[in-house]
Amino acid sequence: MKIIDLTHTITENMPVYPGTDQPSLKIICNHESDGFKETSLTMTSHTGTHMDAPNHIFADSTTLDNLPVEQFIGSALVIDCSDLQQGKEISMNQINAVKEKADQADFLLFFTGWDQYWGTPTYFGNYPYLTEEVADYLIQSKKKGVGLDVISIDSMSDAKLTIHKKVLADNDFIIVENLTRLGEIGDGLFIFCALPIKFKNADGAPVRAVAILSD
């Protein structure tokens, strides 16, 4: 099998959602004085490549620690949206082009190519985003979740978080944002695994996301 890491590395100067504190990685024990190394990590629950739980939006909804681990693993398909211009919507046109495979997948991952701007101001600009029609399809086809290589499934200008609210109204749905290397996977079905840090009442959490491809 071939395994592709779809995860951005967490660093102190990495991109974070505007207004969010930067992560801190502080060495509290070192090899020279303590004989071992230990690092104190301080970061928000939606840092880097991360997962949103329904509880991210809805106070009485499911947290990640209360979802079964099976929710985080399943068949997936990358939908190629890399030809979209800045600020354009990801519509059912992209899904309908590969509808038979899309119907079979537990997860749809949308490849915009926007991860090429990681670490630049452009990353927070007019990235492609999901339409309500696509959100309806994700719900009606009973997907486990959705993933993108951008900072949000909503446009940066949508303060109401319309798409978040639509898909996370289902207590068994997750969102994975800030993925990378989706363009290396190809157009076939594969196994997607995104395991979040397990902490109590998790509204979201950083994940290590990977694609597992058969030879």
Side-chain angles (χ1 to χ4, degrees):
M1 68 180 65
K2 180 180 180 181
I3 300 177
I4 301 175
D5 190 354
L6 308 177
T7 317
H8 286 290
T9 301
I10 293 174
T11 64
E12 291 191 320
N13 61 353
M14 70 188 295
V16 295
Y17 199 85
T20 303
D21 291 338
Q22 294 289 147
S24 169
L25 286 71
K26 181 180 179 182
I27 298 174
I28 57 174
C29 295
N30 61 63
H31 299 106
E32 291 73 23
S33 61
D34 304 292
F36 60 92
K37 181 182 177 183
E38 190 170 3
T39 305
S40 173
L41 308 177
T42 304
M43 57 188 172
T44 69
S45 53
H46 298 264
T47 294
T49 306
H50 70 274
M51 182 179 292
D52 294 351
N55 183 255
H56 179 45
I57 300 296
F58 301 105
D60 297 325
S61 289
T62 312
T63 56
L64 293 179
D65 51 310
N66 282 314
L67 283 170
V69 71
E70 292 83 1
Q71 186 73 32
F72 312 132
I73 304 169
S75 62
L77 182 71
V78 170
I79 306 291
D80 190 349
C81 306
S82 59
D83 60 339
L84 291 177
Q85 298 299 312
Q86 293 189 17
K88 295 298 183 181
E89 297 177 331
I90 298 170
S91 72
M92 284 301 297
N93 291 335
Q94 284 76 33
I95 294 175
N96 286 334
V98 289
K99 185 68 161 44
E100 185 176 348
K101 291 180 182 178
D103 287 345
Q104 298 175 46
D106 295 317
F107 295 91
L108 292 187
L109 309 181
F110 292 93
F111 166 54
T112 71
W114 208 256
D115 56 335
Q116 68 183 299
Y117 302 120
W118 182 257
T120 74
T122 303
Y123 194 73
F124 304 102
N126 294 320
Y127 50 79
Y129 57 91
L130 298 188
T131 60
E132 291 194 57
E133 186 181 22
V134 169
D136 287 333
Y137 169 77
L138 295 171
I139 296 165
Q140 293 163 7
S141 57
K142 300 187 183 302
K143 302 303 183 197
K144 289 185 177 181
V146 64
L148 302 92
D149 53 5
V150 299
I151 201 165
S152 176
I153 61 171
D154 286 293
S155 69
M156 192 65 76
S157 61
D158 185 3
K160 294 182 179 180
L161 300 176
T162 304
I163 306 301
H164 274 83
K165 289 178 180 176
K166 183 176 281 286
V167 297
L168 294 180
D170 182 337
N171 283 334
D172 294 323
F173 193 91
I174 56 173
I175 300 168
V176 185
E177 295 164 331
N178 292 330
L179 289 164
T180 188
R181 299 178 67 190
L182 294 179
E184 299 178 29
I185 295 173
D187 59 3
L189 290 166
F190 62 95
I191 298 300
F192 178 63
C193 178
L195 298 179
I197 296 174
K198 188 177 182 181
F199 66 92
K200 189 174 178 61
N201 297 325
D203 54 89
V207 301
R208 188 67 178 262
V210 298
I212 305 172
L213 284 66
S214 299
D215 291 334

